[in-house]
Every structure is written in structure tokens, then in C-alpha cells.
Amino acid sequence: MRVSQMLIPTLREVPAEAEVVSHKLLLRAGFIRKSAAGVYTYLPLAWRVLEKIQKIVREEMNREGGQEVLMPIMQPAELWRESGRWDVYGEELIRFKDRHDRNFCLGPTHEEIITDLVRGEVNSYKQMPLLLYQMQNKYRDERRPRFGLLRGREFIMKDLYSFDRDEKGLDISYKKMYRAYSNVFSRCGMQFRVVEADSGAIGGSDTHEFMVLADSGEAEIVYCENDDCSYAANVERAISAVGEDSSNEVPSRLQEVHTPDVGTIEELTSFLDISAEKTIKTIIYSADDEIIAALVRGDREVNEVKLYNELNCLHMELASAEMISRVTGGNMGFSGPVNLDICIIADHEVKNITNAVTGANRTDYHLINVNAGRDFEPDKVADIRMVQAGEACPYCSSPMTGARGIEVGQVFKLGDKYSRALEATFLDERGKEQYIVMGCYGIGISRVLSACVEQNNDEQGIIWPGAIAPYHVVIVPINVKDNDQLNMAERVYNTLSDNGIETVLDDRQERPGVKFKDADLIGYPLRITIGSKALESSELEVKKRSSGDIVMIPEENVCEKVKSMLSY
Ligand code: ATP
Ligand code: MG
């Protein structure tokens, strides 16, 4: 293509609305334009990248036996009522009525539709395993659409669903997808980590997330530094090492001390001159209709996802100040487990503290020398705290590193959650009716594009990995009014194009500086400059975007050299 004919509206200014680098660069380099919050048009360059990502995904899905389908985006409410999700999905689900007053939603995911399809078409064990997938727009009315394509309200997803006759079959399908996903992200040229994740509202058991490491990532992960161990998890899920009380201290007498205006752990530790590890933080929550207390060591944070799972409730939130004083008798900041008459859930570490300091359930007072088992008895001891970077790995005790990640994909064992709700059954070898065992597997195609930019950029712009670059080469004639230069540029352009190398010719009547800036901003892997020197010597200057290295290559070898420089 000739750049003069292409829609690549680059911008010099950094758009004010963009917070993260991928959003800024995709706007500036003319890849995307916004229609509404979280709703974008993909311009020609972006669409080429998206098609390449989709091609890689398709190849890897097909390699594992996936069959592509395309399901409706418009989904009838009846199916969502059958699965029980119409009422629980909440405001993220975009709902509407047709002219006959029938309820519909725009698909945020397709478990209902696919399970409905499969229950009608599959009735024997002989028809499984079955792996069906599609790539299409998904709709989620996110509370905070942001970061451009990273968190949109309309975005492209690949979703695959596996159908097996038993758990063993599901294990195999799950492994296939795990392998396929690793291949997809490696082929896209991304640095990623697979982490254990929380199964959350979808239900089911095993689940892993594929995280692209980036400082702007919304997810926090920890991973073990020991390469032989390889434990890695989303912090929502990360298991904390239990540890033990290593002090030889003897329990002392429980005492109340006056601590005026000392309501935070920092104030408490400096007032009493103790370390935070000797304190117990008591956080009061309202969980469905009950008020509960969660205890963690003073230097730790409650992990609300773990707590929520432990409580097995539908709705959980921090208790109000008013509720706290009503149930404890003291103001917020002075709660403690001693003589507290509500359900108490303590983190493992809490019972290891000898002579701890806690709130006294009386404003401006704390208790010292509090000992679990003697002064209070938790109703439950469980892992409810947030793992922090630097902590010991729960499996091998090596230190763990913290990092931020962008979730680009997730694999999920659903089990019979949907097949049971929608009565999707089959007859096994003995003619017995069984529920189909399912898994679901998603990749955020449009998020992958952004995540890739997030990982591959510099001050000048995007640096596309060869495999998903919109084009491989841009040819820049220095002076397009010079016919000889333009002819040479055309000749090289035709040679490369005829050999399957995706090339654009920047034939615009612009200063070379402008074209160079655009080339760097857009991030073509290679730039070939053609000026008077090239005409004299028949040597072409080729610049590699990623390293900035410049090599001179004779025109007659251009194809072979360019191909080897692009090797990906
Ligand atoms: P998140 O936790 O980021 O909201 P999710 O866990 O709800 O994502 P899934 O239901 O697992 O998302 O969807 C599969 C994939 O779709 C995700 O791994 C992600 O890559 C992509 N995805 C999800 N929500 C969005 C969104 N709002 N914008 C772009 N991509 C998304
Ligand atoms: Mg997910």
C-alpha cells in the first residue's frame, strides 16, 4: 500500500484522556478512535494486527481440535434465567427488550448459548470430547472502562468451550488449552506468566490466568523465585505460608491500656513502641445478614476474595462506623476479639502471636498480652490474608516476587455447573444418563493488542514484534519529487511485496523528518530509506526499529536480507 492512500491519522499531541502508554500510542499512531467510553473503532492498521492475532489463535485452537462457530451476540433472557445468571450478573450485563417486550442481553460470554446448543445436539459419549470456539465482540458494561482497549465495554474475545464425558476428559481438554494459550502468547512475542487464579462467581474449580507482565497491569501477582518450584498466583488467590511462632515468650497477664486517639496500626505501634507483627488488626464486615470480624496480623491486609470464599456468602462489605460501635461497643479503630460476641475468623498467623495487642472494644483503649486460645477463641482459623512480595513460598519457602500483570487469557474448569442448570446430559457407555463436564477458555483479542504495545514501546512509539506487526517494512524515499528516487522506491516496494513481505511505501509529499517520526511511532519492524546515496551505490539503508541498528544491503539481495532480519 501507498501511505498517501491509507487512513493512518497520526497525532503529534499526546491525547489528554489517555493514562497508559498503549492507549496514548494507539491513538497517536492512528490505530484506534473512540466512539463512546470503552467503545472503539479499529482503524486499518489495528485491524491488520487484530487479524494476525486472530490467525495465530485460530491456528492454535484448530491444532488442538477446536472447531470454529459463530454464535449470536443477542441472547434471550430465558436461557440466562435457566442458568440462574439473569438475576445475579448485575449491571455489567447490557439488557434490552425487543418490540414484543421480550428481554434480551448482549453476550458478555456464551456459556448459556453453547450449553443450549450442545444439549440439543449431543446425546452420546461417542460425540465427545468436543471443543467449540468463536471470535466475536463481547459486551460488558464495565464500571470503569479505561486504558483504551485494555478495559472496554465492547471488545473482541475468543471463547472456547470444552465438552467431555468425565473429569478425566476435562483434564485433557484443559491441558490442551493451557498448551495452546502458551503457544499463542509466545507466538505473539509477549512476556507472560501463568498464574493460579480465583474461580470467583463463575463457579467451578481449577483456573489459571495468563498474565502479560506490565507495570500498568490491574492485576497483582506473586511468583516463586525458585525456578524448580514455579508457583505463581494472582494475589487474590495466592496461598500464604502458615509460619509459626518462633518467640519463646511466655503469655503474660491480660491488661487494658489507655491509648487516646490511637486508632491506626501506625499510631499504635509508635505509641506502645512495638512492632506491627505484635498487633492484631480486627476488621468488621457485614456478610449477607451477619456481622463478622476478620483478624489478621497488624502488618498484613485482609484478602477479601479469600474471606468471601471462606464465608460462602453472596454479598460482603466493610461494616459502617455506626454498625461497628453498635456491635463492639467502641469506635472504629478500637475493635478486638476479646469478649466480642460475633463470628470471628482469624488468619493462621494470628494464633502464632504471643502477647498480642488488640483493640479493647472501648474507644481510646487497647488490650495488651492478648493470647488466642486463652483470651478469645476464633470460630474459624483460615488463610484470609493478602500475600506480600518477599514472603516465603507456601510450597518451597523460597522468597516470592511481586509483579503487575494484564490478564490476557483465562482457562477454567466449569465441571457440571452449566450442564446441570440447563440439563445438558448424555448417555454413557452403560446407557446411564450423565451431565456433560465442561470447561471454558477466553482470550481477550483486543486486549492482547494493547498489552503488546504496553510491553513493546519506547519514547518514539510502538515496536511491533514481527509476528503481529501491521506491516513489516516501510520504504521512505527522501524526496518523492525526484523521479529516480521514487522509481527505485517503487522497484524495491514491488520486489518485497511480490515476495510476500508486507510493505508500505511512504510516497507522501512530506519532509523526511515527518515520515521518520511516523515510521517510529507506528512501529514498523524495518524502515528502508532511499535517497541520493542509494541511487549512487545501489545500497539500501535498513533500520531495525527494535534496536535502532542500521545496516546497508545491496538492492539485489533485499528480499533475502529483509527476510532474515524479520525472522520471527
Ligand atoms: P477482568 O478480571 O480483567 O475484568 P475477566 O476475568 O472478567 O477480566 P474473563 O471473563 O476471564 O474476563 O474473559 C476472558 C478474557 O477476556 C480476559 O482474560 C481478558 O483478556 C478479556 N477481557 C475481559 N474483560 C475485558 C474488557 N472489559 N475489555 C477487554 N478485554 C476483556
Ligand atoms: Mg478472567
Side-chain angles (χ1 to χ4, degrees):
M1 280 294 278
R2 284 162 173 72
V3 175
S4 62
Q5 314 282 299
M6 295 167 76
L7 180 63
I8 313 178
T10 54
L11 306 169
R12 288 285 159 259
E13 301 296 312
V14 179
E17 78 216 62
E19 292 169 69
V20 296
V21 66
S22 60
H23 190 192
K24 287 180 192 160
L25 288 176
L26 289 171
L27 287 167
R28 282 192 54 211
F31 280 67
I32 58 169
R33 286 295 181 262
K34 185 168 95 173
S35 295
V39 182
Y40 288 86
T41 295
Y42 310 113
L43 274 59
L45 291 182
W47 187 244
R48 287 182 70 94
V49 176
L50 289 168
E51 286 207 313
K52 291 187 180 187
I53 299 170
Q54 294 185 67
K55 180 166 181 283
I56 292 174
V57 170
R58 190 170 280 127
E59 283 169 6
E60 295 301 330
M61 294 302 115
N62 293 350
R63 192 204 302 277
E64 299 294 355
Q67 301 175 68
E68 190 167 359
V69 296
L70 187 58
M71 289 180 268
I73 288 173
M74 176 172 169
Q75 306 187 6
E78 287 74 53
L79 285 177
W80 283 74
R81 290 215 172 88
E82 262 191 82
S83 72
R85 288 208 289 187
W86 184 256
D87 294 323
V88 299
Y89 210 92
E91 287 182 322
E92 254 184 44
L93 191 63
I94 300 183
R95 300 160 208 251
F96 62 99
K97 283 184 197 289
D98 69 4
R99 64 170 73 203
H100 306 294
D101 219 28
R102 284 189 282 253
N103 285 301
F104 284 86
C105 64
L106 295 180
T109 174
H110 276 69
E111 283 81 10
E112 281 77 3
I113 297 278
I114 195 114
T115 311
D116 178 46
L117 173 82
V118 167
R119 72 176 162 186
E121 309 306 329
V122 171
N123 43 43
S124 157
Y125 70 94
K126 291 183 193 141
Q127 293 168 279
M128 293 182 286
L130 187 61
L131 304 174
L132 298 173
Y133 76 97
Q134 63 173 350
M135 288 189 249
Q136 62 162 203
N137 279 349
K138 292 281 188 277
Y139 295 83
R140 295 184 185 179
D141 200 356
E142 300 271 358
R143 186 194 300 271
R144 286 191 69 192
R146 56 185 184 152
F147 302 156
L149 305 185
L150 286 175
R151 186 166 296 284
R153 294 195 294 169
E154 174 178 275
F155 57 96
I156 307 173
M157 197 202 283
K158 182 287 304 178
D159 42 331
L160 182 143
Y161 304 87
S162 66
F163 301 88
D164 281 284
R165 41 175 123 158
D166 52 23
E167 289 289 330
K168 238 169 64 195
L170 172 60
D171 283 346
I172 295 168
S173 296
Y174 191 83
K175 284 205 182 91
K176 283 183 177 174
M177 283 302 115
Y178 190 108
R179 182 168 60 206
Y181 275 38
S182 303
N183 289 343
V184 164
F185 299 122
S186 303
R187 286 182 62 188
C188 289
M190 331 218 10
Q191 303 286 327
F192 67 96
R193 258 184 193 273
V194 194
V195 302
E196 288 182 8
D198 179 65
S199 54
I202 263 195
S205 49
D206 279 8
T207 174
H208 288 88
E209 288 166 339
F210 288 73
M211 295 284 187
V212 162
L213 303 183
D215 290 340
S216 59
E218 291 184 282
E220 256 183 274
I221 66 169
V222 285
Y223 58 90
C224 181
E225 286 172 17
N226 174 0
D227 287 341
D228 297 332
C229 170
S230 79
Y231 178 64
N234 189 315
V235 288
E236 288 180 347
R237 146 91 186 200
I239 304 167
S240 37
V242 174
E244 47 194 48
D245 182 14
S246 47
S247 81
N248 301 321
E249 240 179 279
V250 186
S252 305
R253 190 171 62 84
L254 184 69
Q255 255 183 294
E256 191 175 69
V257 291
H258 190 212
T259 52
D261 295 330
V262 174
T264 66
I265 294 289
E266 291 84 64
E267 287 161 353
L268 184 64
T269 51
S270 74
F271 186 87
L272 295 176
D273 195 21
I274 50 166
S275 76
E277 289 160 38
K278 286 298 250 183
T279 66
I280 296 174
K281 215 189 280 189
T282 305
I283 316 270
I284 313 289
Y285 285 92
S286 129
D288 293 342
D289 299 328
E290 213 188 333
I291 307 292
I292 66 109
L295 311 185
V296 290
R297 222 168 67 180
D299 58 330
R300 306 295 196 192
E301 299 299 329
V302 172
N303 180 326
E304 295 190 345
V305 173
K306 290 185 191 171
L307 180 63
Y308 177 86
N309 291 342
E310 205 56 58
L311 291 168
N312 203 8
C313 59
L314 281 178
H315 183 76
M316 183 187 96
E317 62 183 1
L318 285 169
S320 64
E322 179 271 322
M323 209 179 274
I324 292 172
S325 26
R326 185 157 50 77
V327 297
T328 69
N331 282 354
M332 191 192 288
F334 297 93
S335 309
V338 181
N339 296 328
L340 184 63
D341 203 14
I342 55 177
C343 171
I344 296 176
I345 302 194
D347 183 68
H348 290 294
E349 279 181 337
V350 166
K351 66 177 195 322
N352 295 337
I353 316 175
T354 310
N355 297 329
V357 176
T358 73
N361 296 325
R362 179 180 173 201
T363 306
D364 288 345
Y365 285 87
H366 277 83
L367 296 176
I368 60 171
N369 303 328
V370 175
N371 290 284
R374 185 190 72 178
D375 306 316
F376 72 95
E377 196 61 64
D379 296 275
K380 198 171 199 183
V381 176
D383 175 7
I384 58 163
R385 74 179 169 85
M386 209 67 143
V387 171
Q388 292 159 342
E391 273 190 49
C393 165
Y395 293 104
C396 76
S397 298
S398 306
M400 296 209 285
T401 302
R404 299 197 75 86
I406 300 168
E407 182 198 319
V408 284
Q410 182 161 20
V411 292
F412 216 110
K413 286 189 185 173
L414 291 168
D416 63 6
K417 182 179 157 83
Y418 291 93
S419 49
R420 206 173 262 275
L422 276 82
E423 291 284 323
T425 59
F426 68 99
L427 296 179
D428 70 11
E429 291 94 323
R430 276 175 249 114
K432 192 166 168 259
E433 193 171 19
Q434 306 270 11
Y435 288 114
I436 297 177
V437 183
M438 290 173 56
C440 68
Y441 315 84
I443 293 182
I445 303 284
S446 44
R447 188 181 276 185
V448 168
L449 177 144
S450 269
C452 184
V453 176
E454 207 59 41
Q455 254 186 0
N456 300 288
N457 67 78
D458 63 13
E459 271 89 74
Q460 273 68 52
I462 307 172
I463 306 171
W464 287 108
I468 61 171
Y471 288 91
H472 299 129
V473 179
V474 58
I475 299 174
V476 180
I478 297 285
N479 179 5
V480 287
K481 290 191 188 131
D482 179 331
N483 269 339
D484 291 339
Q485 280 187 32
L486 197 58
N487 284 342
M488 185 175 193
E490 294 269 358
R491 196 166 63 230
V492 175
Y493 169 73
N494 285 329
T495 310
L496 292 176
S497 303
D498 291 348
N499 281 278
I501 298 165
E502 297 168 31
T503 308
V504 294
L505 173 60
D506 197 345
D507 59 342
R508 291 176 300 164
Q509 301 218 351
E510 291 279 3
R511 283 179 291 113
V514 170
K515 297 188 192 179
F516 292 159
K517 272 209 158 63
D518 274 354
D520 283 349
L521 177 61
I522 292 163
Y524 306 102
L526 298 178
R527 186 187 86 199
I528 298 180
T529 312
I530 293 176
S532 46
K533 263 195 268 163
L535 283 177
E536 285 160 23
S537 64
S538 288
E539 289 226 315
L540 305 172
E541 180 196 294
V542 185
K543 184 174 165 216
K544 210 167 175 175
R545 176 68 180 90
S546 56
S547 60
D549 292 347
I550 291 178
V551 291
M552 302 303 294
I553 55 176
E555 190 190 339
E556 71 254 32
N557 293 344
V558 65
C559 270
E560 166 201 335
K561 290 280 181 196
V562 159
K563 275 189 180 157
S564 80
M565 286 177 82
L566 281 172
S567 63
Y568 56 83

